[in-house]
Amino acid sequence: RDDCQEDPEPACPTDLSGDRITDAVDLGILLALRGTDGQDFPQADIDGDGIVCSTDLGWLLAGWGPCPQ
């Protein structure tokens, strides 16, 4: 594995803030971008359908808590 390459998918896609936990910070980010295409913060479109919406909220809530190791 080349350590200079990023993983193709984040280990915890619901952790929008990058702190290894899905929590209120991530919820705030998602709610602030709700109804947009997430262009400025594409990871907020968790399901990748092109819009930050209730489906992404569902995924975020399903991933609530510490990220898997």
Side-chain angles (χ1 to χ4, degrees):
R1 177 175 188 260
D2 183 349
D3 289 330
C4 293
Q5 294 178 344
E6 291 185 33
D7 291 331
E9 287 189 34
C12 190
T14 58
D15 174 23
L16 304 179
S17 65
D19 63 358
R20 304 291 304 148
I21 188 167
T22 300
D23 59 11
V25 174
D26 306 297
L27 178 60
I29 292 168
L30 189 133
L31 292 177
L33 294 168
R34 186 173 175 259
T36 72
D37 62 5
Q39 183 177 4
D40 295 329
F41 204 90
Q43 58 268 47
D45 180 17
I46 298 167
D47 66 359
D49 69 352
I51 189 164
V52 180
C53 61
S54 59
T55 307
D56 302 302
L57 175 60
W59 281 110
L60 186 134
L61 294 175
W64 198 266
C67 293
Q69 296 297 330

